[in-house]
Amino acid sequence: MEQDVILEVKDLKTYFYNHGRELRAVDGLSYQVHRGECVAIIGESGSGKTVSALSILRLISYPPGLVMGGQVLFKGRDLLKMNDEEYRRIRGKEISMIFQEPSAALNPVATIGDQIVENILLHSNVKREEARQRAVELLAEVGIPNAQERVKQYPFEFSGGMQQRAMIAMAMSCGPDVLIADEPTTALDVTVQAQVLEQLNRLRQSRNMALLIITHNLGVVARYADSVKIMYGGKIVEDGSVEDVFLRPAHPYTLGLIRAVPRLDLPRTHGLHTIEGEPPDMSKIGPNCCAFHLRCAYADEQCQNCRPPLEQVGDDHFCACHHRDLLDEERKEVLME
């Protein structure tokens, strides 16, 4: 329901400038996140997923990047219009982020406990001793054993999975209403990936927190997400529930992603499918075309000259493609494999 919308991104545009070239990393991005919902943003590297999240948190550095337009409404207030002091009171407290590389995001010369305590003290009126006890409780909550001792250790003394758990503890330290997880299982083995994702899902459910997962792992999306946004060339090209997007894909790019997933239930002769070509150089793609047209088997002159709008193709299912009706046979072939 509309009143449950906690975060709404409207026509967000983030561009980068380098040697006179304009690169539209995020170009007209719009979506909603409801309280307690798990939303997944999927796309290849370079599609604008991380830049969109950093734009929400106002962590785009200028130069070379600049948020050129749009709105980011959090509880009805536009985050992009707040002054720095107002936004600092929200970032890290009401909206938090788990960064893609914990080893790069954590301070190597500060203990894990001190880094969690710093965030708690910044946003809460508590004494240091109380904040430190809270840090121990958070580490235990995310599955770190012997938290009383581990809180005194430095990031290099933690494994990759433990560092990611420490990042989750830090992000959860002030009880955020929205948690953004950027590739939260990068470089983790499969077992640890499952543990981290289950922990995030439990925290979401127990706290009625909105979770925004940025990933390219379709398995993660199928298991945990409530809604899916397929992103390409800085825009959303398909948006819907997990069931709609995976069982009734309407965009050629979505079909390509689904087809590229390795299948263990098919003979080895089936081979691996790929999406031909490479992600677009957005400094060379015009604003009035479909960014996927260079890789699409259905592209024609209309795709080169007219950017397709995101149109409704079912209940809460949207797609931006001029030729989605031509996908019927390919869709049947993919889903029957």
Side-chain angles (χ1 to χ4, degrees), residues 236-250:
I236 288 178
V237 296
E238 187 161 359
D239 181 357
S241 67
V242 172
E243 182 179 351
D244 281 333
V245 172
F246 281 13
L247 298 183
R248 291 177 288 276

Side-chain angles (χ1 to χ4, degrees), residues 37 43 47 49 69 72-73 90 94 112-113 137 157 165 190 208 211 230 249 269 284 334:
E37 182 183 22
S47 62
K49 307 184 303 297
V72 178
L73 302 178
I90 292 176
E94 297 182 66
I112 294 294
E137 293 170 359
E157 298 178 272
R165 285 184 170 89
V190 176
N208 196 30
L211 177 61
I230 305 294
T269 53
K284 298 178 181 178
V334 171

Side-chain angles (χ1 to χ4, degrees), residues 67-140:
V67 177
M68 298 296 293
Q71 294 178 295
V72 178
L73 302 178
F74 175 68
K75 298 180 180 179
R77 301 177 63 198
D78 190 352
L79 299 178
L80 301 182
K81 291 183 178 179
M82 292 182 181
N83 60 43
D84 291 343
E85 183 58 34
E86 284 180 305
Y87 196 75
R88 271 194 293 267
R89 289 197 290 266
I90 292 176
R91 184 174 55 216
K93 181 180 180 181
E94 297 182 66
I95 301 178
S96 288
M97 183 168 179
I98 301 169
F99 294 93
Q100 185 170 353
E101 291 288 350
S103 58
L106 292 169
N107 186 340
V109 296
T111 66
I112 294 294
D114 285 344
Q115 294 182 61
I116 298 174
V117 166
E118 179 183 10
N119 193 55
I120 295 174
L121 293 177
L122 182 64
H123 296 292
S124 306
N125 186 23
V126 298
K127 295 182 178 179
R128 179 170 288 275
E129 294 77 11
E130 186 179 343
R132 192 163 189 82
Q133 183 56 39
R134 177 63 180 145
V136 173
E137 293 170 359
L138 283 163
L139 291 181

Side-chain angles (χ1 to χ4, degrees), residues 20-61:
R21 298 168 63 196
E22 180 182 75
L23 190 153
R24 297 177 301 280
V26 177
D27 192 16
L29 184 68
S30 299
Y31 62 87
Q32 293 181 341
V33 180
H34 296 78
R35 189 178 294 276
E37 182 183 22
C38 179
V39 174
I41 297 181
I42 303 176
E44 295 170 285
S45 297
S47 62
K49 307 184 303 297
T50 297
V51 172
S52 68
L54 294 177
S55 300
I56 292 172
L57 290 167
R58 286 174 45 172
L59 294 176
I60 299 295
S61 298

